[in-house]
Amino acid sequence: MTAPTPAAPADSSRAPSSGAPTRVLVLNSGSSSVKYQLLDMEDGARLAAGLVERIGEETSRLAHTPLKEGGERRERTGPIADHAAALKAVAEELTADGLGLDSPELAAIGHRVVHGGLRFTEPTVIDDAVLAEIERLVPVAPLHNPANLVGIRTAMDLRPDLPQVAVFDTAFHTTMPESAARYAIDVETADAHRIRRYGFHGTSHAYVSRETARLLGKAPEEVNVIVLHLGNGASASAVRGGRCVDTSMGLTPLEGLVMGTRSGDVDPAVTFHLKRVAGMSEDEVDVLLNKRSGLIGLCGDNDMREIRRRVEEGDERAALAFDIYIHRLKKYIGAYYAVLGRVDAVAFTAGVGENAAAVREAAVAGLEELGLAVDADLNAVRSGGARIISPEYARVAVAVVPTDEELEIARQTFALVAPAP
């Protein structure tokens, strides 16, 4: 296939020529959902956002929020047959706000694509060859890439004249050295079946590492950051000078930290043991490790707020689940400290990382010899902005940096398609 079209750096800001379109629609197509945001890249303003869920069911729902002053959230319910119908419904809602897909101000549509393998290291304008390569990667992302493809093809049918750009979750992690990316298995077997560590949540890790540098008043090239993306899915990354050198997720999003329903790191022989001793099939083991493990497997809840409530009431199962979660988190902080050699900041992000003060406090407790500490008062503050929560004397900044994957995708998309000044 032809080489992907190279992109400008994600944080570049090209001034559009006079009258050039500046809006980007960001689409994140899941197996039964579509999340979307419309942004104006002239000033980064969000114009609209929404979610279509339960696509293909009788109980489908579209929630749309125009973000212009005075806009009110709207909902429609009822069957939405497929992604084509979902995107047409989104287009109707945008049109009702004067923001339709036929607007001459729309510069491009940016698509989140989960797996780009090693081929796609940058955002890429989508053509038939790119579609074929995303399709070829379905075996390593069977739950995600097919849904991403449906969203792309539907959007291309709606606006065949408009640039469509793929932004890959794995791209930020392609800078990992081979010593971090390769598993210690037979090289020929690994290469034949593309078995290696790819990493995920890349748009979040890219955005947060760069925003952390800004928070410290430095350029990304000057800082080393450990990013902890803690949501229902969770991953850590070691970022040296703006480039990822290690990350916790691997061939799939199962590896690494304890997550809401995923086990994270587990002895691979557990799979063989369950097949031999429990008579479980491959599919049953897959469901166990991806959907019935992690926090929900340990204590029956995958909502950190509920787990903390139970801990405070003396629930032993919840307390153990929390302790296991924190233990794994500390192991990765320590490991990535060793990988980086020098750490300027540890940044917490995503739903749990941004909102669970108890997680942040516990994750760095006892790591004072590494220069890590949190200020209890600063940590307790709830805020939607990026902030440092470590005391002034701490050698390493501990920060809370809200992620913004949609803005990151929009930036990368616009940097690729905007006319040069």
Side-chain angles (χ1 to χ4, degrees):
M1 76 174 260
T2 58
T5 306
D11 58 348
S12 65
S13 54
R14 298 183 191 173
S17 59
S18 177
T22 57
R23 294 177 183 172
V24 174
L25 177 64
V26 175
L27 294 178
N28 180 355
S29 299
S31 58
S32 62
S33 67
V34 175
K35 296 178 183 177
Y36 63 94
Q37 283 195 19
L38 179 65
L39 301 94
D40 192 328
M41 301 315 296
E42 191 165 27
D43 56 7
R46 284 170 173 76
L47 304 177
L51 167 67
V52 187
E53 58 185 350
R54 298 192 290 272
I55 294 171
E57 301 180 20
E58 292 296 316
T59 57
S60 305
R61 182 178 74 99
L62 189 161
H64 173 85
T65 304
L67 300 175
K68 298 183 295 182
E69 186 176 350
E72 293 186 2
R73 187 173 185 269
R74 303 191 297 269
E75 283 194 18
R76 62 164 81 176
T77 58
I80 296 176
D82 51 29
H83 283 70
L87 283 182
K88 287 175 183 176
V90 170
E92 289 170 4
E93 294 295 334
L94 291 170
T95 298
D97 298 322
L99 303 168
L101 292 189
D102 59 350
S103 169
E105 297 178 75
L106 191 60
I109 298 177
H111 298 267
R112 179 197 179 211
V113 178
V114 166
H115 215 307
L118 293 181
R119 174 82 67 171
F120 298 112
T121 62
E122 301 282 357
T124 305
V125 174
I126 300 167
D127 58 18
D128 288 342
V130 171
L131 283 172
E133 182 65 12
I134 296 172
E135 185 93 53
R136 195 175 74 85
L137 289 164
V138 164
V140 289
L143 299 178
H144 298 94
N145 274 30
N148 300 154
L149 282 164
V150 170
I152 290 169
R153 288 178 170 132
T154 302
M156 292 177 80
D157 287 342
L158 289 172
R159 280 299 305 268
D161 59 313
L162 200 66
Q164 311 269 339
V165 175
V167 178
F168 299 90
D169 266 15
T170 49
F172 183 64
H173 304 303
T174 57
T175 56
M176 284 192 295
E178 286 291 277
S179 56
R182 278 197 176 270
Y183 292 109
I185 65 174
D186 174 69
V187 171
E188 291 184 1
T189 301
D191 288 348
H193 300 285
R194 291 169 288 168
I195 299 171
R196 60 185 292 117
R197 302 182 64 250
Y198 293 99
F200 300 89
H201 294 146
T203 52
S204 178
H205 287 280
Y207 178 86
V208 170
S209 60
R210 193 172 58 249
E211 286 299 298
T212 302
R214 184 191 61 77
L215 189 63
L216 298 179
K218 297 182 178 181
E221 296 77 16
E222 299 176 310
V223 300
N224 293 349
V225 184
I226 297 172
V227 178
L228 304 172
H229 177 107
L230 308 179
N232 193 50
S235 60
S237 67
V239 183
R240 177 185 293 127
R243 294 167 62 87
C244 177
V245 295
D246 206 347
T247 193
S248 59
M249 286 179 167
L251 174 71
T252 75
L254 180 60
E255 187 180 358
L257 301 175
V258 175
M259 304 176 224
T261 66
R262 298 181 194 135
S263 64
D265 292 338
V266 67
D267 183 342
V270 167
T271 299
F272 315 137
H273 180 77
L274 289 172
K275 290 176 70 174
R276 285 194 299 263
V277 176
M280 295 176 69
S281 68
E282 291 177 3
D283 287 345
E284 287 172 330
V285 174
D286 189 298
V287 169
L288 171 69
L289 296 179
N290 279 288
K291 297 184 178 180
R292 292 173 42 217
S293 295
L295 292 172
I296 205 163
L298 289 167
C299 70
D301 272 310
N302 63 331
D303 186 321
M304 186 58 71
R305 294 165 296 188
E306 181 63 16
I307 291 170
R308 286 303 306 168
R309 183 192 65 77
R310 288 172 56 187
V311 170
E312 290 165 7
E313 292 179 353
D315 187 308
E316 292 184 1
R317 280 189 66 192
L320 178 59
F322 184 79
D323 289 346
I324 293 171
Y325 183 94
I326 294 299
H327 181 77
R328 187 80 55 81
L329 196 51
K330 281 192 179 192
K331 285 176 66 175
Y332 271 91
I333 292 172
Y336 287 172
Y337 206 120
V339 167
L340 291 170
R342 187 199 84 240
V343 176
D344 298 292
V346 173
F348 289 85
T349 193
V352 174
E354 294 170 29
N355 296 296
V359 168
R360 298 191 296 261
E361 178 182 9
V364 302
L367 302 182
E368 290 81 8
E369 289 297 318
L370 297 179
L372 288 162
V374 297
D375 180 288
D377 292 334
L378 294 175
N379 189 37
V381 172
R382 295 186 66 86
S383 169
R387 59 202 185 277
I388 292 174
I389 59 171
S390 48
E392 290 186 6
Y393 64 78
R395 295 199 316 271
V396 178
V398 179
V400 180
V401 181
T403 192
D404 197 333
E405 295 175 86
E406 288 77 16
L407 178 58
E408 181 69 16
I409 292 169
R411 282 176 173 171
Q412 293 192 26
T413 297
F414 191 69
L416 189 58
V417 304

